[in-house]
Amino acid sequence: MRNFIVLAASLSCLPVLAADPAPLDAKYLRTHAETRGFMLGRPTRPKPTLDGKAVLFLRAQPRKAKLALFEFDVASGKTRELLTPEQVLKGAEEKLTPEEKARRERMRVGVGGFTDYQLSTDGRLILLSLSGKLYVVTRGKDEVRELKTGDGTLLDPKFSPDGKWVSYVRDNDVYVYDLATDKEKRVTTGGTAQKTHGLAEFVAQEEMDRSTGYWWSPDSQDIAYEEADADGVEVWHVADPSKPEQPGQPSFYPRPGKKNVSVRVGIVPIAGGKTKWIDWDAKKYPYLTQVHWDKQGPLTITAQTRDQKELALFVVEWMTGKTRRLVVDKDPAWVNLHQDVPQWTNKGFLWTTESAGGPQLEHRDPDGKLERVVLKPDTGFAGLVPYDSDRGRIAYRQRLAPTRVAVRVISLDPKENEQIFFGVDDSVNTVVLNPALSVLTSTTPTQMPRSFVVHYDDRGRGTSAGELPSVAEEPGFTPRVEFVTVGDKPMFHAAIVRPRDFDEKKKYPVIVDVYGGPGHQTVMASMRNWLLPQFLADQGFIVVGIDNRGTPARGRDWERAIYQKFGSVPLDDQVAGLQALGKKVPQMDLERVGIVGWSFGGYMAALAVMKRPDIFKAGVAGAPVTDWYDYDTHYTERYLGVPKDKDDPAYKEASLLTYAKDLKRPLLLMHGTADDNVYFRHTLKLADALFREGKDFEVLPLSGLTHMVPDPVVMERLWTRVAGYFQKHLGKPVAR
């Protein structure tokens, strides 16, 4: 009875809604979609040459999602185009195999052309892949030659450390290509679709941030590679219902509590010979999370228990394959992965742990013994930045606040105080470094990303060498975003986006733009993050974003507060943060609140309207996980535990199916039918549950699309639909 009274009271406060909202002006959306959020045309993947004379980078045209290769000359400040996809393909269309499409999906690559490239250590050669073929460019001469590889899908190409070989995976085995003789050589044998050699398995690519499955020795004589055996793992198929004449694409997809891929690592000489298999306790540590084989240190592997509560670093005696454990890290909830460590020095290695309450950088001796703490959690340490320096320096990301990130270079010698700082106030910064030359990419709430070249002398003093040129279109407006902190125990970082024609004498319906899940922050000081929220706000709303417990950058306890509580803590925090914002901003009408999100944010949006209809009056859920038994092992078991059966209470509490009977508010579900991350099955299962409960809802299938939505037409139509949906169900601003 109490719930009914609350619902009736809430409904009585709503103004009369527009049955047919006025048509939206989609001109901005069209431009936003065609420019990929005004990011096309900006330099990407910059790589300074070791001699400090040039910077290579990729760049597209403002409305053409194909990347070409460019070179910035430091001395002259001029940029020239080195190679375009059109020059290589000579008018032909780029073709991608299903394997390459899947790999790009895992890496969140939504553009074409040269999506990546490799630069040899001496900076003389550039390795590119395009349309299933490999090309090597000789700098200075601008010679382009196609490698005469065999037929098949080529994945993960790399230079050897000495630059004399190119390696890649073809048809599930590792190959090397001798650049001097133009001959290809097979390094591993017996690879199949079920038992691959040299490829990272699905959960490694999707959840561990490990995209490779093989590693060169520093002397370029051997390769360590992963064998991933999917025997017994469930096979799921991704098929496009609109094209029934095409067969579905099979994928090994491990689900919680079920069989995982079995992994082992071997070492094989490229000159030929048998594989030497590395011996570690794979029964206890079945997840291979990282392999490092650096010039300054030995071969190491990092492995994790199935429940992810324990992580171990092993050093490998590569002549015998035996291992010795150097470090063990434990946590009662889960241990986060840090792919940037170990980083070896001339006196041991750097290691990251959160055992002190947050990310802490440690220096350990070659046997794993702690020498000293280099950076404590209260310094804002947020991970190492690759930096090849022989002067005893390291580079790391530093959080000046949860919304801002800078980069510092410091000495490992505690007696030396000299340091280099990259970044400005209220900004998010990334840096690509080498000892002589660096590229700083910076964005603020009022500035789209810009990339600056900085030259350093022997004493570490930096001078500007210019800016990598952008040809991108600019949005034409600055988002009206305000960053605030609200609440007390817990305190939340939040953002408020007001309409550009905001009238403080009116009350506005509110849209919560939510993610709320692990590993991602919504509230960041980055202009591009607030362009679409500004479009929504301009349609007559106040849009807010709130980072709840479980999101990163607030310490170990903050992040792990969601352990086995997906269905409660994140949503409770969104409600608490929203209500605190309402007290701060009287123009927010908390009787008319909608919520929109994608992926975990889609899950949160659907959960919100079903579980808290007293707060949320309409929801739009994009690609939501609806039943966590149907998501992958490594992500789900990390946060919900390894389920013992189909009635695990943590999984039941987190499942949207549990709350289908409670839906009282308008809900729009959107999902790509070819999604191979959050399968379309999720939306179908929730739709079936809602239908059987007699609930009203809407489903928008995105035909043939995956978890990403790069199609400009679809993006334009999708956000038009979202804005119109909230106008219909939340109404317009009214006088206070």
Side-chain angles (χ1 to χ4, degrees):
M1 180 63 69
R2 183 177 301 167
N3 288 339
F4 174 77
I5 294 173
V6 171
L7 175 62
S10 298
L11 287 172
S12 67
C13 296
L14 288 174
V16 177
L17 304 181
D20 295 303
L24 295 174
D25 181 0
K27 182 179 179 180
Y28 169 77
L29 282 180
R30 189 173 301 114
T31 301
H32 185 102
E34 290 178 352
T35 61
R36 304 294 174 88
F38 302 92
M39 291 302 294
L40 291 180
R42 300 185 191 278
T44 185
R45 299 191 182 277
K47 295 183 181 181
T49 58
L50 196 59
D51 60 12
K53 294 182 179 180
V55 177
L56 301 178
F57 63 94
L58 300 175
R59 193 180 69 192
Q61 293 300 311
R63 299 200 185 202
K64 189 175 182 181
K66 288 187 178 181
L67 296 169
L69 180 66
F70 294 82
E71 181 178 275
F72 174 85
D73 180 71
V74 173
S76 67
K78 294 181 179 180
T79 296
R80 67 189 184 103
E81 186 178 74
L82 287 184
L83 194 64
T84 69
E86 290 78 10
Q87 289 172 333
V88 172
L89 296 177
K90 297 178 181 178
E93 287 295 321
E94 182 179 2
K95 295 180 181 179
L96 297 177
T97 63
E99 293 84 0
E100 178 63 21
K101 289 180 180 179
R103 181 177 175 82
R104 291 191 180 189
E105 183 74 17
R106 302 283 75 76
M107 299 175 74
R108 303 299 188 262
V109 174
V111 294
F114 304 131
T115 58
D116 200 1
Y117 65 101
Q118 300 288 323
L119 184 63
S120 62
T121 303
D122 61 10
R124 188 175 62 89
L125 302 176
I126 306 167
L127 175 64
L128 298 149
S129 64
L130 184 67
S131 203
K133 297 180 180 180
L134 298 179
Y135 302 87
V136 171
V137 179
T138 302
R139 292 183 60 234
K141 298 180 181 179
D142 290 349
E143 293 177 351
V144 181
R145 63 165 165 154
E146 179 184 335
L147 302 189
K148 302 172 184 177
T149 62
D151 295 332
T153 301
L154 304 179
L155 299 172
D156 198 13
K158 306 175 188 177
F159 277 120
S160 61
D162 63 10
K164 296 180 180 179
W165 302 82
V166 168
S167 56
Y168 44 88
V169 178
R170 179 162 64 82
D171 295 336
N172 303 302
D173 271 311
V174 180
Y175 286 76
V176 294
Y177 191 97
D178 189 340
L179 293 175
T181 64
D182 256 350
K183 291 184 179 180
E184 179 186 71
K185 184 175 183 179
R186 188 171 185 165
V187 176
T188 68
T189 59
T192 66
Q194 179 177 295
K195 185 182 289 186
T196 61
H197 292 153
L199 292 176
E201 72 276 24
F202 174 86
V203 295
Q205 295 184 52
E206 184 65 42
E207 310 299 358
M208 300 181 195
D209 197 26
R210 177 170 67 81
S211 60
T212 191
Y214 74 94
W215 303 264
W216 278 96
S217 63
D219 62 5
S220 302
Q221 298 300 307
D222 300 273
I223 287 178
Y225 70 95
E226 167 188 345
E227 179 183 84
D229 188 351
D231 182 36
V233 178
E234 280 187 309
V235 178
W236 279 22
H237 295 79
V238 178
D240 186 351
S242 68
K243 299 177 181 177
E245 74 280 4
Q246 296 182 0
Q249 184 67 24
S251 174
F252 294 105
Y253 194 84
R255 292 190 290 159
K258 296 181 178 291
K259 180 76 166 59
N260 253 324
V261 169
S262 299
V263 173
R264 60 176 178 168
V265 177
I267 305 170
V268 61
I270 65 170
K274 293 184 178 180
T275 294
K276 189 174 297 170
W277 296 106
I278 295 175
D279 180 20
W280 85 89
D281 189 356
K283 185 175 182 180
K284 180 177 182 179
Y285 301 102
Y287 283 127
L288 176 71
T289 64
Q290 184 55 284
V291 175
H292 280 270
W293 206 348
D294 303 324
K295 65 180 181 180
Q296 290 181 300
L299 172 63
T300 61
I301 67 169
T302 310
Q304 196 176 37
T305 54
R306 172 76 184 248
D307 64 11
Q308 302 180 58
K309 298 177 187 292
E310 187 172 326
L311 181 77
L313 173 68
F314 298 89
V315 63
V316 180
E317 298 174 0
W318 72 274
M319 292 296 292
T320 65
K322 300 294 183 182
T323 59
R324 179 168 49 90
R325 199 166 64 177
L326 295 181
V327 182
V328 174
D329 202 356
K330 298 181 180 181
D331 191 282
W334 73 82
V335 178
N336 277 324
L337 302 181
H338 302 279
Q339 295 290 3
D340 49 353
V341 293
Q343 181 173 308
W344 287 84
T345 70
N346 56 2
K347 296 181 180 179
F349 63 93
L350 299 170
W351 184 253
T352 300
T353 179
E354 295 180 63
S355 58
Q360 172 174 284
L361 184 66
E362 301 174 341
H363 193 246
R364 293 177 173 266
D365 71 13
D367 292 321
K369 181 182 177 182
L370 179 63
E371 289 287 324
R372 73 181 183 96
V373 175
V374 180
L375 294 166
K376 295 181 179 180
D378 60 6
T379 61
F381 172 68
L384 291 170
V385 174
Y387 185 43
D388 186 11
S389 172
D390 57 2
R391 292 178 287 182
R393 292 175 179 168
I394 61 168
Y396 69 96
R397 295 185 302 278
Q398 180 189 33
R399 291 193 180 275
L400 305 177
T403 60
R404 298 183 285 129
V405 182
V407 175
R408 288 185 186 271
V409 178
I410 63 171
S411 172
L412 277 175
D413 186 344
K415 298 178 183 178
E416 294 186 15
N417 296 321
E418 181 182 343
Q419 58 180 283
I420 303 170
F421 176 81
F422 295 89
V424 295
D425 291 341
D426 297 322
S427 63
V428 178
N429 302 276
T430 59
V431 181
V432 180
L433 297 159
N434 71 32
L437 194 66
S438 302
V439 180
L440 167 68
T441 300
S442 181
T443 182
T444 73
T446 60
Q447 175 189 286
M448 295 292 283
R450 297 174 65 186
S451 296
F452 303 93
V453 181
V454 184
H455 208 296
Y456 286 93
D457 61 23
D458 292 337
R459 301 181 65 181
R461 293 176 300 191
T463 55
S464 174
E467 179 178 353
L468 298 184
S470 169
V471 296
E473 296 181 32
E474 297 298 331
F477 65 87
T478 300
R480 188 174 178 174
V481 57
E482 177 186 1
F483 298 100
V484 298
T485 57
V486 293
D488 181 31
K489 295 182 181 180
M491 178 269 290
F492 305 107
H493 287 269
I496 307 164
V497 183
R498 295 173 173 86
R500 283 179 288 166
D501 61 355
F502 178 71
D503 184 347
E504 63 180 15
K505 297 179 181 180
K506 292 183 178 180
K507 287 187 78 73
Y508 289 81
V510 179
I511 297 175
V512 178
D513 181 9
V514 68
Y515 185 80
H520 177 81
Q521 290 175 258
T522 296
V523 185
M524 293 293 289
S526 173
M527 181 175 174
R528 61 180 295 196
N529 290 21
W530 305 105
L531 296 177
L532 281 175
Q534 185 66 67
F535 165 79
L536 282 180
D538 289 345
Q539 311 314 310
F541 305 98
I542 291 177
V543 179
V544 301
I546 303 162
D547 282 334
N548 50 258
R549 283 175 294 171
T551 56
R554 297 283 298 276
R556 185 258 169 214
D557 293 344
W558 174 276
E559 190 174 356
R560 286 162 180 78
I562 62 168
Y563 183 62
Q564 297 189 326
K565 297 178 180 178
F566 266 7
S568 55
V569 169
L571 181 57
D572 290 346
D573 283 5
Q574 288 288 322
V575 171
L578 175 68
Q579 292 175 331
L581 281 171
K583 295 177 181 178
K584 191 179 187 72
V585 183
Q587 292 83 9
M588 289 173 54
D589 188 346
L590 295 191
E591 295 299 330
R592 297 185 289 154
V593 179
I595 184 168
V596 60
W598 196 270
S599 197
F600 196 96
Y603 163 76
M604 287 285 290
L607 180 70
V609 293
M610 290 192 289
K611 198 172 181 182
R612 293 301 303 269
D614 56 320
I615 301 293
F616 300 98
K617 305 306 191 292
V620 177
V625 176
T626 64
D627 184 351
W628 290 100
Y629 282 111
D630 286 340
Y631 202 55
D632 71 60
T633 50
H634 195 267
Y635 182 96
T636 310
E637 293 174 353
R638 183 188 321 155
Y639 305 118
L640 295 182
V642 181
K644 297 180 177 60
D645 51 44
K646 290 294 291 182
D647 296 313
D648 188 291
Y651 283 73
K652 183 177 181 180
E653 188 252 7
S655 176
L656 295 183
L657 306 183
T658 300
Y659 310 102
K661 64 183 185 302
D662 301 320
L663 181 67
K664 300 180 179 69
R665 301 300 188 187
L667 173 62
L668 169 61
L669 301 170
M670 305 181 296
H671 211 134
T673 61
D675 195 331
D676 64 351
N677 177 7
V678 182
Y679 282 71
F680 188 49
R681 166 189 176 103
H682 284 271
T683 284
L684 290 177
K685 286 183 74 170
L686 180 58
D688 180 66
L690 292 170
F691 177 72
R692 292 176 182 274
E693 292 289 348
K695 304 299 181 180
D696 290 328
F697 60 96
E698 297 180 43
V699 177
L700 175 61
L702 306 176
S703 180
L705 293 181
T706 61
H707 202 58
M708 299 187 296
V709 186
D711 186 305
V713 173
V714 175
M715 279 292 294
E716 176 189 337
R717 299 288 186 264
L718 186 151
W719 284 101
T720 301
R721 179 75 174 270
V722 170
Y725 192 81
F726 284 128
Q727 284 182 337
K728 178 178 179 180
H729 293 291
L730 301 180
K732 299 180 179 181
V734 296
R736 289 174 60 188

